[in-house]
Amino acid sequence: MVATRWSSGGQAGQPPQQSGSDVTMEFKHQPTVTLAEVAEAAGVGESTVSRVLRNHGSFSAKTRERVMAAVERLGYVPNRIAGTLASTGSRLVAFVIPSLSNIVFPDVLRGASAVLEENRYQAVFSVTDYDPGKEEALAAAMLAWRPAAVMLAGYEHTEGTVKMLRASGCRIVELLDLDGDALDIAVGFSNRAAGRESAAFLLKRGYRRIGYVGHDLNRDTRAGKRFSSFCETLDAHDAPLVAREILPGASSVENGRLGLKRLLARTSDLDAVYFSNDDMALGGYFHCLAEGIAIPSKLAIFGYNGLDIGRAIPQPLSTIRTPRVATGQIAAQLVVANAPPQAVDLGFELIEGATA
Amino acid sequence: MVATRWSSGGQAGQPPQQSGSDVTMEFKHQPTVTLAEVAEAAGVGESTVSRVLRNHGSFSAKTRERVMAAVERLGYVPNRIAGTLASTGSRLVAFVIPSLSNIVFPDVLRGASAVLEENRYQAVFSVTDYDPGKEEALAAAMLAWRPAAVMLAGYEHTEGTVKMLRASGCRIVELLDLDGDALDIAVGFSNRAAGRESAAFLLKRGYRRIGYVGHDLNRDTRAGKRFSSFCETLDAHDAPLVAREILPGASSVENGRLGLKRLLARTSDLDAVYFSNDDMALGGYFHCLAEGIAIPSKLAIFGYNGLDIGRAIPQPLSTIRTPRVATGQIAAQLVVANAPPQAVDLGFELIEGATA
DNA sequence: CACCAAATTGGTAGCGCTGCCAAAAAAACC
DNA sequence: GGTTTTTTTGGCAGCGCTACCAATTTGGTG
């Protein structure tokens, strides 16, 4: 462990010089400028200031300038807490997502936040760790902020969550899954179709002895859907899954590597392996690389997600590219536009890389 | 492009059956249960309900049950907008981060959100795209929510941002950088030290003809700090940087690969390359793999961040592991505890992998 | 049983803003 | 100039909750 040295003025680990009297643990909030004070400073009524700042209703150019000058002079920052309480409908959008480690969700957030920011909406989030109970608790906490919409992953929610969301009257957006009935709005693609197409592709390429390496499917139900459709398709073509290796915990490159190693130790004559996602598949790829297993002649590898890194490895990964950012964008657009209930299928793209 | 088929009841692309009268674009908000209604239903005063729900102040066990029963029966969800307005100090924490593509920031959010959720705080975020002007605008928008704290990346902010934050009276947390003076709280490590240690390590290993492949440094100032310290250290040891390749845009595996390719095309006799981060370094690694360039004998590679994937490739990546999740955790803990101003150095760890 | 302390409870004034309405000012018209 | 129309403006009642204070009840005690 190489410790860093803190290189600015003071001694390492010491607080930097601060403005004097902050010795106590308690931090005093300085009095804030209110709209009423701006109104008085500008010599106009409160509602006039409100109208000018929201650019809503009518006011003269002269008034506008007086108000803006006062705002500037006093350093007024509107209080959206108060504003939201007074008006109907907030501009908060709540995200209740399973994880931030799985790049899928940051990607969705990225797409959504760009659209939301443009429309002066504010994104709020919390992380469930794929735990439906936690999802319920966090969704309840979110509803307390009276958001314009709640965005969740997929269709699997507790009864309590569904009941609560329905009763809330706010928009409900279910993301990244279309295999089921949407509560209100759904944006994504069919995981079952993805599993099916993956299997069909491998079969078409002539692979018959196919294995699977995946992470905890009980938690990640979308991966579970892909897997079951994958197996069904194999069964329908008389090439049932030969072996599987399921690792507990989250997906990761390391788990993919470990999973493939274990799978091959048990079952030597596989000709292709389907992974629960690209992280896992990359782990498998690296295992083959390290062990000198020729890809795809000796063993084919197929992933899911279409991460950028999959295209940069020596042999581009065969996988399915999912529209993660677009899912976030479309979801946000529908919320902003207050669109009617609907399910939007964004599809996916099968990438015929060099690993299968 | 393989289109998915939406497999549930209706036709693909059609909205699923909904509860009847949602034909209009406008969505009606149903009347919400208020605390006053709960109070009446429970036959107690409003303040009693408030005390019970917040578990604050005193009330009898019997009262508590009556209130909880009413809450249950009516499906009451407290309104935190109103609660926050009425009380002093909110439980919102605002994150103004440069990006969600760079895994660094999701990692920080992950660490922070776990701690915040435990303490019933709520995380809000927006994304600046490494644009200081946008940071200022978004910080202003954040302050309108009167958060308990604003968390930002690093020390480089516009004058306007600093002035505004200072005036806001809320806690300011600067993350992932310690090379400069903190406004209030800072949590992270020294990027300059990281650059220095990286150079020292390569020199110690005997590399003398060293190059650099990086992404847009004007935007990612922390990468810029690492690079300049790296160069200074090389200079101090009479082994100045031989060549550099800076790619516009964000860091990515593909850019790393492309960057190394270009660098080697221009300068053939390098013996080591320092990358702006692990994504870029992995790209470089893959380039060598594809081109048959022996690592590290022919060319050494050194990264930054210590991503998990770097440990799963055939030759573990030599890099510096940064405490990203811990940075988020500590930052959140300090905010929750309302700690005094301070700079917390979490250090970093140099990983002697197999690529340098 | 009177009396005092402690525990419990309810009333109510805001928190800072928006939405509504009526008043005032400006513009348009005869 | 008088009148109608239009634009601009200010006043004020909430939004749903918490904080404070006073009122009430409870539990001892002498």
Side-chain angles (χ1 to χ4, degrees):
Chain A
M1 174 80 177
V2 178
T4 50
R5 282 141 307 226
W6 182 50
S7 61
S8 62
Q11 290 169 275
Q14 291 302 307
Q17 62 289 5
Q18 283 291 320
S19 45
S21 57
D22 296 323
V23 206
T24 57
M25 285 295 283
E26 290 307 311
F27 212 76
K28 197 111 29 68
H29 277 264
Q30 50 208 101
T32 355
V33 183
T34 69
L35 184 139
E37 297 176 68
V38 174
E40 179 163 12
V44 300
E46 291 183 41
S47 30
T48 303
V49 176
S50 177
R51 275 187 298 257
V52 170
L53 288 174
R54 285 178 301 146
N55 198 31
H56 176 278
S58 67
F59 45 84
S60 68
K62 194 173 54 192
T63 306
R64 180 200 171 79
E65 286 198 13
R66 293 242 303 275
V67 170
M68 293 315 270
V71 164
E72 198 68 30
R73 185 150 34 89
L74 300 179
Y76 171 68
V77 177
N79 184 333
R80 287 189 85 172
I81 299 276
T84 303
L85 181 62
S87 66
T88 54
S90 82
R91 278 178 176 267
L92 281 173
V93 172
F95 292 85
V96 182
I97 56 176
S99 156
L100 278 167
S101 321
N102 189 338
I103 189 66
V104 168
F105 302 104
D107 277 347
V108 171
L109 289 182
R110 179 152 60 99
S113 89
V115 173
L116 294 179
E117 274 160 25
E118 274 170 24
N119 291 276
R120 310 189 337 101
Y121 276 70
Q122 186 63 67
V124 193
F125 75 95
S126 44
V127 179
T128 69
D129 282 322
Y130 291 99
D131 176 344
K134 216 167 161 188
E135 180 181 85
E136 180 166 343
L138 291 173
M142 285 299 193
L143 288 178
W145 291 102
R146 297 294 186 271
V150 177
M151 305 229 190
L152 308 150
Y155 288 132
E156 282 70 32
H157 316 295
T158 66
E159 223 177 290
T161 305
V162 171
K163 195 177 148 197
M164 194 168 56
L165 290 174
R166 278 237 161 84
S168 75
C170 78
R171 302 309 300 267
I172 310 163
V173 185
E174 293 166 295
L175 303 167
L176 300 170
D177 195 358
L178 288 179
D179 303 307
D181 289 324
L183 289 169
D184 178 4
I185 291 176
V187 183
F189 38 83
S190 165
N191 282 273
R192 293 205 182 284
R196 207 155 53 222
E197 295 298 338
S198 302
F201 176 78
L202 290 177
L203 291 167
K204 195 181 73 191
R205 287 284 172 119
Y207 302 107
R208 303 292 293 177
R209 296 196 50 83
I210 301 175
Y212 175 78
V213 173
H215 60 283
D216 190 346
L217 298 173
N218 291 102
R219 317 194 83 190
D220 187 342
T221 57
R222 285 166 296 290
K225 287 177 176 178
R226 293 194 295 276
F227 180 50
S228 68
S229 296
F230 183 85
C231 290
E232 283 163 20
T233 307
L234 291 189
D235 289 342
H237 289 77
D238 276 332
L241 196 79
V242 175
R244 72 173 77 174
E245 179 71 33
I246 312 269
L247 290 96
S251 68
S252 70
V253 180
E254 188 52 44
N255 271 347
R257 186 172 177 157
L258 184 61
L260 183 58
K261 186 179 172 184
R262 287 189 189 158
L263 191 72
L264 294 181
R266 288 209 321 265
T267 322
S268 55
D269 57 348
L270 294 175
D271 55 18
V273 175
Y274 179 51
F275 288 82
S276 53
N277 66 25
D278 279 3
D279 293 284
M280 300 290 284
L282 284 168
Y285 177 79
F286 294 141
H287 176 74
C288 294
L289 226 52
E291 298 294 317
I293 300 170
I295 298 173
S297 57
K298 182 73 183 161
L299 186 72
I301 283 178
F302 198 90
Y304 171 82
N305 256 344
L307 301 188
D308 287 345
I309 191 174
R311 278 181 301 193
I313 59 179
Q315 295 169 275
L317 184 65
S318 298
T319 187
I320 276 181
R321 179 151 59 223
T322 56
R324 303 180 296 279
V325 177
T327 295
Q329 286 172 337
I330 303 287
Q333 280 162 3
L334 292 176
V335 166
V336 167
N338 198 21
Q342 61 194 285
V344 179
D345 190 344
L346 297 176
F348 52 75
E349 189 184 357
L350 195 147
I351 299 178
E352 304 187 7
T355 65
Chain B
M1 174 77 178
V2 177
T4 49
R5 281 142 307 222
W6 182 52
S7 59
S8 63
Q11 290 170 273
Q14 291 303 307
Q17 64 288 5
Q18 282 292 320
S19 46
S21 58
D22 297 321
V23 206
T24 57
M25 285 296 282
E26 289 309 311
F27 214 75
K28 199 120 16 78
H29 277 263
Q30 50 209 102
T32 356
V33 184
T34 68
L35 184 140
E37 297 176 69
V38 174
E40 181 164 9
V44 299
E46 291 183 39
S47 27
T48 303
V49 176
S50 177
R51 276 187 298 255
V52 170
L53 288 174
R54 285 178 300 145
N55 198 31
H56 176 279
S58 67
F59 45 82
S60 68
K62 194 172 55 190
T63 306
R64 182 201 167 76
E65 286 198 13
R66 294 243 303 276
V67 170
M68 294 315 269
V71 164
E72 198 68 30
R73 185 150 35 88
L74 300 179
Y76 172 68
V77 177
N79 184 333
R80 289 189 83 172
I81 299 278
T84 303
L85 181 62
S87 65
T88 55
S90 82
R91 280 179 175 266
L92 281 172
V93 172
F95 292 83
V96 181
I97 56 176
S99 158
L100 277 167
S101 319
N102 189 339
I103 190 66
V104 168
F105 301 105
D107 277 347
V108 172
L109 289 181
R110 179 151 60 97
S113 89
V115 173
L116 294 179
E117 275 160 23
E118 274 170 23
N119 291 277
R120 310 188 341 101
Y121 276 70
Q122 185 64 64
V124 192
F125 76 95
S126 45
V127 180
T128 69
D129 282 322
Y130 291 99
D131 177 343
K134 216 168 161 188
E135 180 182 83
E136 180 166 343
L138 291 172
M142 285 299 193
L143 288 178
W145 290 103
R146 298 293 187 270
V150 178
M151 306 229 189
L152 309 150
Y155 287 133
E156 283 70 31
H157 316 295
T158 66
E159 223 177 290
T161 305
V162 171
K163 196 177 146 196
M164 194 167 58
L165 290 174
R166 277 236 162 86
S168 75
C170 77
R171 301 309 299 267
I172 310 163
V173 185
E174 293 167 295
L175 302 168
L176 300 170
D177 196 356
L178 288 179
D179 303 307
D181 291 323
L183 288 170
D184 179 3
I185 290 177
V187 182
F189 39 84
S190 164
N191 282 274
R192 292 204 183 284
R196 207 155 53 223
E197 296 297 339
S198 303
F201 175 79
L202 291 177
L203 290 167
K204 194 181 72 192
R205 287 285 172 118
Y207 301 108
R208 303 292 294 177
R209 296 195 49 83
I210 301 174
Y212 175 79
V213 173
H215 60 284
D216 189 345
L217 299 173
N218 291 101
R219 318 194 82 190
D220 187 342
T221 57
R222 285 167 295 288
K225 286 177 177 179
R226 294 194 294 277
F227 180 49
S228 68
S229 296
F230 182 86
C231 290
E232 283 163 21
T233 308
L234 291 190
D235 288 343
H237 289 78
D238 276 332
L241 195 79
V242 175
R244 72 173 76 172
E245 179 69 33
I246 312 269
L247 290 96
S251 68
S252 70
V253 180
E254 188 53 42
N255 271 347
R257 186 172 179 158
L258 184 61
L260 182 58
K261 185 178 173 187
R262 288 189 189 158
L263 191 72
L264 295 180
R266 289 208 322 265
T267 324
S268 55
D269 56 347
L270 294 174
D271 55 19
V273 175
Y274 179 51
F275 289 82
S276 52
N277 66 26
D278 279 3
D279 292 286
M280 302 289 284
L282 283 169
Y285 176 80
F286 294 141
H287 175 74
C288 292
L289 226 53
E291 298 293 318
I293 301 171
I295 296 174
S297 57
K298 182 71 183 161
L299 186 72
I301 283 178
F302 198 90
Y304 171 83
N305 257 343
L307 302 188
D308 287 344
I309 191 173
R311 277 181 302 193
I313 59 179
Q315 295 169 274
L317 185 64
S318 299
T319 187
I320 276 180
R321 179 152 58 222
T322 55
R324 304 179 296 279
V325 177
T327 295
Q329 286 172 337
I330 303 288
Q333 281 162 2
L334 292 175
V335 166
V336 167
N338 199 19
Q342 61 194 287
V344 179
D345 190 343
L346 297 176
F348 51 74
E349 188 183 356
L350 195 148
I351 299 178
E352 302 188 7
T355 65

